[in-house]
Every structure is written in structure tokens, then in C-alpha cells.
């Protein structure tokens, strides 16, 4: 299923690339955590750094307004320390955002932009690592509908601002607000919340 999802996503992006005004590969880092709510109590783990990479396609609606779908790999996770034990949870997602953007032209100085829109993600893999004075162990996270498994489907919203240089290199700061519950445990909600900083290059057609 995972391989089929990747193949379908890539094929879809390739099929709509021919109508794009630009293609925008980028790489970056995520910094954030998984927020857990058990009953009425909210737990937020220590932030951890993960990687992101992917390609966006820019479609101009007007001179200043555009739509930017994309396909990305995005890591997320959380680490918690208690009683000398460190628990590190990490997920690897395939994400497809569709962002509405506004571009403010600075003439020869480049341009500023702001974007907002929804995303949908699917977990490709996950690990749970436990570290203590007795050693380190890593187990694979299973996905499904059971209470002991994680929900592979994630969704939410993204908010970003950035700057494009006159040489088409851009930097972007983005916030990922996860709204989908990735936990199947009863009376428990877990959502992905993190910041992203990325750099990319705008290839205009």
C-alpha cells in the first residue's frame, strides 16, 4: 500500500507539472513535538529536530496570487525524559500540501510571500526508541486500527512566510498544525505540531 501511494502521488505530480509556472525543490529541518492529550491533561514532549525535503509546483492565478501543491517527505517526533529513561518516538511521513500564496514583489530586491492551506499525510514508517542506563532498544511502530497501533493518516494546516532572492533562491519559515489524531488509544489524542525552516530554488518555465 505504501509503495502504491508513493507511485500514485508521484504520477499525479508529474501529470500536473506541465501546467505549472515553476517547479520548486527544497530541503529543510523540522523542529517540534507530538502533543498528547489524555483526558483533559495535555503533555508536550521535548522538541526534536528532523528532516524535510520535496518539490512544490507554483501555479499563478494572478500576478500576486498563486496555488502551490507539492509532495514532501517530512519527519516528525517527540522525546520525553522521566526517571532516567528517555523515550524517543519518530515518524516518517509522505505529505501533500495545497497552499494558497500571496507574492509581494520587491522589484530588483526579490519578493516576499505568505502561504496558507491544508495538507494530508501518510506515515511511511515509525520507531520507538528507549534509552536508559541499562542500554538502548528500538522497536518498529505498527500502523492500523488497533489500540496498540498508530493511525497512519495525518492531516492539518500549514502557515508560512518567506523571501525569494533575485536569483530565485528562497527561504521559508513554516508552522505545521496537525489536526488529525495519530493515536488509536481510548481517551487519547496525539497531534503533530512543529516549525519548519527550508531553502529551495524556483525553476521558472
Amino acid at each position: 500500500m505504501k509503495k502504491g501511494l508513493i507511485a500514485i502521488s508521484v504520477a499525479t505530480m508529474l501529470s500536473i507539472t506541465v501546467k505549472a509556472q515553476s517547479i520548486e525543490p527544497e530541503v529543510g529541518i523540522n523542529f517540534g513535538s507530538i502533543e498528547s492529550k489524555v483526558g483533559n491533561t495535555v503533555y508536550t514532549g521535548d522538541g526534536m529536530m528532523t528532516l524535510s525535503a520535496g518539490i512544490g509546483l507554483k501555479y499563478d492565478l494572478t500576478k500576486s496570487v498563486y496555488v502551490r501543491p507539492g509532495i514532501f517527505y517530512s519527519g516528525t517526533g517527540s522525546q520525553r525524559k522521566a526517571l532516567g529513561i528517555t523515550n524517543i518516538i519518530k515518524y516518517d511521513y509522505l505529505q501533500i500540501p495545497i497552499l494558497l500564496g500571496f507574492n509581494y514583489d520587491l522589484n530588483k530586491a526579490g519578493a516576499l510571500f505568505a502561504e496558507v492551506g491544508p495538507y494530508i499525510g501518510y506515515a511511511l514508517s515509525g520507531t520507538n526508541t528507549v534509552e536508559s542506563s541499562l542500554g538502548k532498544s528500538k522497536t518498529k511502530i505498527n500502523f492500523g486500527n488497533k489500540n496498540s497501533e498508530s493511525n497512519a493518516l495525518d492531516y492539518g494546516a500549514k502557515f508560512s512566510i518567506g523571501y525569494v532572492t533575485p536569483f530565485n533562491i528562497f527561504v521559508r519559515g513554516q508552522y505545521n498544525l496537525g489536526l488529525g489524531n495519530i493515536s488509536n488509544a481510548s481517551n487519547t489524542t496525539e497531534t503533530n505540531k512543529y516549525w519548519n525552516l527550508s531553502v529551495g530554488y524556483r525553476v521558472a518555465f
Side-chain angles (χ1 to χ4, degrees), residues 9-11 14 24 30 34 45 54 61 84 91 96 99 105 120 127 148 161 163 189 192 197 202:
S9 300
V10 172
L14 290 176
E24 303 179 354
N30 297 330
I34 298 173
L61 302 179
Y91 292 98
I96 299 178
L99 305 181
D105 191 7
I120 187 168
T127 57
S148 60
I161 57 173
Y163 168 69
T189 301
N192 289 307
L197 181 63
R202 181 171 291 177

Side-chain angles (χ1 to χ4, degrees), residues 179-195:
L179 300 175
N181 185 7
I182 62 175
S183 172
N184 292 322
S186 59
N187 204 31
T188 300
T189 301
E190 293 186 341
T191 52
N192 289 307
K193 291 179 171 59
Y194 58 85
W195 293 93

